[in-house]
Amino acid sequence: MKHVNLTMTTTQIRRANMTKRTLSAIWGAGLACLLLSAGSMSAEIQTHTLTVDIDNIQVQTGALMVELYANAEDYAAGHNPSASMITPVTKTEHRLVFSDLADGQYAVKVFHDENGNHSLDTNMLGVPSEGYGFSNNAGSFGPAGFKDASFSLQADAQITIHIR
């Protein structure tokens, strides 16, 4: 059996401790850089505010049901809006503000739930009997598609939707 000397000289111990301290300092500096860069990345993400003015409201009862969509699939299905608001109707015009929105394509759907049943009522022919509207005031001959109602949001913006 071979005998292994486990004793270290004072010089070897000092070198080992210096190596540990050096590695700790490097690791700490690397972690600090990583945390600083992560902080600066989150600071670079800018969010925007979208102000939606809704006018031409004919009846001052019920509520405005407003949904903001960030993609065509959810918009078409009427599910998973990026943001939504319900506000009681008390006048012929209302202003709603959506905050903390990232850059992107968005479209807005609005309907005036006059009777409080949470759905857009239609007549026997399927024509809406309650007020409705879309961003870009699209949808002159039926519901607006995402392509017609969408707009690019790259900074704070204000749009107006006329209720039909």
Side-chain angles (χ1 to χ4, degrees), residues 111-154:
F111 82 88
H112 181 186
D113 184 16
E114 295 175 18
N115 59 8
N117 67 353
H118 301 286
S119 63
L120 178 64
D121 295 338
T122 59
N123 63 21
M124 292 182 355
L125 299 174
V127 176
S129 58
E130 293 178 309
Y132 65 94
F134 304 95
S135 43
N136 297 333
N137 291 302
S140 298
F141 301 104
F146 185 81
K147 182 180 177 186
D148 293 331
S150 68
F151 55 92
S152 178
L153 185 68
Q154 305 295 318

Side-chain angles (χ1 to χ4, degrees), residues 33-98:
C33 288
L34 180 63
L35 291 174
L36 287 173
S37 67
S40 67
M41 285 190 309
S42 64
E44 291 175 15
I45 297 173
Q46 293 205 2
T47 60
H48 310 293
T49 299
L50 174 65
T51 302
V52 180
D53 290 328
I54 302 169
D55 65 11
N56 200 35
I57 301 169
Q58 300 299 310
V59 180
Q60 281 69 59
T61 62
L64 290 174
M65 313 292 265
V66 184
E67 295 178 329
L68 176 69
Y69 292 92
N71 64 66
E73 295 78 26
D74 289 340
Y75 178 89
H79 298 294
N80 303 318
S82 297
S84 64
M85 288 188 193
I86 300 172
T87 188
V89 174
T90 57
K91 51 192 175 185
T92 60
E93 298 177 355
H94 282 272
R95 173 171 280 179
L96 304 174
V97 178
F98 294 95

